[in-house]
Amino acid sequence: MSDVRHVLVLPDREAAEEVVGELSDRFGVAEEPQLVRDALAGEDDAEDAQWLVVVEDPSGRLDASALDAFAAEYEGWLEAP
C-alpha cells in the first residue's frame, strides 16, 4: 500500500495550530503534522493566507470523511486527493 497524505485546509494559523494539537488526541496521529502557509494566488496580504495541515498516513488508516468533518469544525475542509 502506498503512503497516504491528507491535506486539511484551514482559514487561519490559529485554527491550523489547534487542529495540529487535536489530531493526535482524536485520531492517534503519531507523526507531527506539517503546518504550511498557503498564500492565495495573487494576494500579498498575509491575512488572506490559508493554512494547510499535512498529515502523513502511511498505513492508510485515517478516515477521510472523519477528517473532513473534523476540519469543518474549524471552518476548513479536507483537500481531495
Side-chain angles (χ1 to χ4, degrees):
M1 172 178 269
S2 63
D3 287 0
V4 178
R5 174 178 286 156
H6 303 282
V7 179
L8 304 177
V9 183
L10 286 308
D12 56 46
R13 182 178 186 134
E14 186 176 321
E17 288 175 341
E18 285 184 38
V19 163
V20 167
E22 282 284 309
L23 276 167
S24 61
D25 294 343
R26 300 221 349 217
F27 293 95
V29 172
E31 198 172 315
E32 181 75 15
Q34 220 182 328
L35 201 57
V36 181
R37 182 178 176 273
D38 183 34
L40 299 178
E43 295 293 336
D44 294 328
D45 187 354
E47 296 303 310
D48 289 328
Q50 293 175 321
W51 285 81
L52 308 179
V53 176
V54 181
V55 183
E56 299 295 338
D57 184 17
S59 57
R61 64 175 188 75
L62 296 175
D63 180 339
S65 58
L67 285 171
D68 190 44
F70 172 62
E73 293 174 26
Y74 296 89
E75 296 177 17
W77 64 89
L78 176 67
E79 192 68 37

